Amino acid sequence: MSKNAPIGAFDSGVGGLSILLEVRRLLPAENLIYLADSAHCPYGIKPVEEIRQRSLEVTDFLISQRVKLVVVACNSACVAGLDQVRAKFRNVPVVGVEPAIKPAHELTRNGKIGVLATNLTLNGERFSILVEKYATGVEVYTQPGPGLVEIVESGAIETPETERLLRQYLQPLLDKGIDTLVLGCTHYPFLIPVARKICGPGVTILDTGLAVAKQTARVLKLANLMTERTAPGQETFYTSGDPTAVADVVRKLWGDPQIQVKKANV
Ligand code: DGL
């Protein structure tokens, strides 16, 4: 495998960009390939078997683009199929994501943690294992957030409708007295400005972007796969959906009006 090959990442849509932005900051010389599986978005309300199958197909697409590592930048896909992806593609390192329960356990002062995630993630065995393992002695309150992924996909983030829906989901957690909020879906970090406004300064909001970027760097180093190039790396964006519509949102979230998005037949 070539050190100068790109890193691949995917999500049901643009949410995984919250992870990839951190990878870009930490590893500026790496080339990156991102696939938004927009034709099948959202993942979080679909049957586990369907998302497992998509995760395998989309990883196969990234590997056909000769990536040296795959980041499954989606909590729902990790719950549904991370083990299967690792088992099937043994020659490529695979980095997954999970809700930041462990850091939340370390940070909470009053022992009350809220987790906002998709239904698929909250109902998955991976999540119960995570809570059992790391949330000893604290209360964990969970809340699914249907509709939030679609808001991020539309790119219309700071609107009264977003605030209304997010408040509807966060208020029950705030009523429980949480002082730490875990964002267990990679789309949600794009809603942090609105969530901050709702939660106020007393609640710490956690996402996993930086931790996943650091893990990606660690895995590359261990496998001796860090790029040797020093020039800024490039990004290539693909979608299984409509490239024109997806490009509008990717440009906004990535902060680069020049971005082009290609169609992936996957
Ligand atoms: N961003 C994804 C996650 O972390 C997928 C959300 C969805 O498509 O429902 O779960």
Side-chain angles (χ1 to χ4, degrees):
M1 189 148 353
S2 158
K3 291 182 176 188
N4 293 331
I7 294 170
F10 77 90
D11 175 49
S12 63
V14 294
L17 294 177
S18 68
I19 304 279
L20 207 65
L21 279 163
E22 297 293 346
V23 173
R24 167 50 74 232
R25 268 192 271 276
L26 197 66
L27 302 169
E30 297 290 346
N31 284 341
L32 308 174
I33 295 186
Y34 184 80
L35 182 114
D37 192 14
S38 323
H40 299 86
C41 188
Y43 278 179
I45 54 168
K46 300 212 166 78
V48 168
E49 297 70 32
E50 191 179 330
I51 301 313
R52 182 174 300 150
Q53 189 52 31
R54 277 316 287 165
S55 303
L56 292 167
E57 286 163 3
V58 165
T59 304
D60 202 29
F61 169 82
L62 289 173
I63 287 174
S64 76
Q65 304 299 304
R66 307 197 174 287
V67 298
K68 61 183 173 185
L69 177 148
V70 172
V71 182
V72 182
C74 174
N75 290 269
S76 307
C78 286
V79 166
L82 184 61
D83 293 341
Q84 290 76 6
V85 166
R86 285 195 169 127
K88 182 161 181 198
F89 304 100
R90 288 178 187 278
N91 296 333
V92 178
V94 177
V95 173
V97 299
E98 63 186 16
I101 301 292
K102 193 178 170 206
H105 183 262
E106 282 157 20
L107 277 168
T108 181
R109 287 145 290 146
N110 70 1
K112 292 179 181 180
I113 298 168
V115 184
L116 185 65
T118 66
N119 268 310
L120 199 153
T121 295
L122 295 175
N123 294 332
E125 200 194 357
R126 260 192 127 78
F127 183 73
S128 7
I129 293 174
L130 200 60
V131 170
E132 215 167 286
K133 196 165 164 194
Y134 294 117
T136 40
V138 300
E139 295 295 332
V140 176
Y141 303 103
T142 59
Q143 173 68 51
L148 296 177
V149 165
E150 289 86 339
I151 285 177
V152 176
E153 289 296 315
S154 78
I157 289 169
E158 293 197 42
T159 68
E161 170 55 16
T162 307
E163 191 173 335
R164 191 199 59 75
L165 194 61
L166 202 51
R167 193 179 290 280
Q168 182 186 318
Y169 296 143
L170 293 180
Q171 198 57 53
L173 300 176
L174 295 171
D175 290 345
K176 297 281 184 196
I178 62 155
D179 71 353
T180 309
L181 174 67
V182 174
L183 301 180
C185 168
T186 56
H187 280 76
Y188 300 169
F190 292 114
L191 303 171
I192 285 178
V194 188
R196 281 234 165 84
K197 207 163 125 191
I198 296 167
C199 292
V203 176
T204 308
I205 302 178
L206 294 177
D207 74 271
T208 39
L210 183 58
V212 176
K214 284 183 178 167
Q215 178 63 5
T216 303
R218 247 189 317 265
V219 172
L220 286 181
K221 212 173 230 164
L222 272 175
N224 200 19
L225 280 175
M226 285 276 199
T227 184
E228 287 158 334
R229 286 178 296 100
T230 50
Q234 289 175 353
E235 301 93 28
T236 309
F237 298 94
Y238 287 96
T239 179
S240 57
D242 171 8
T244 312
V246 174
D248 276 347
V249 188
V250 174
R251 286 177 191 136
K252 191 169 172 183
L253 300 181
W254 198 263
D256 177 355
Q258 306 301 328
I259 283 173
Q260 301 296 322
V261 175
K262 303 181 196 178
K263 175 82 179 171
N265 291 316
V266 57

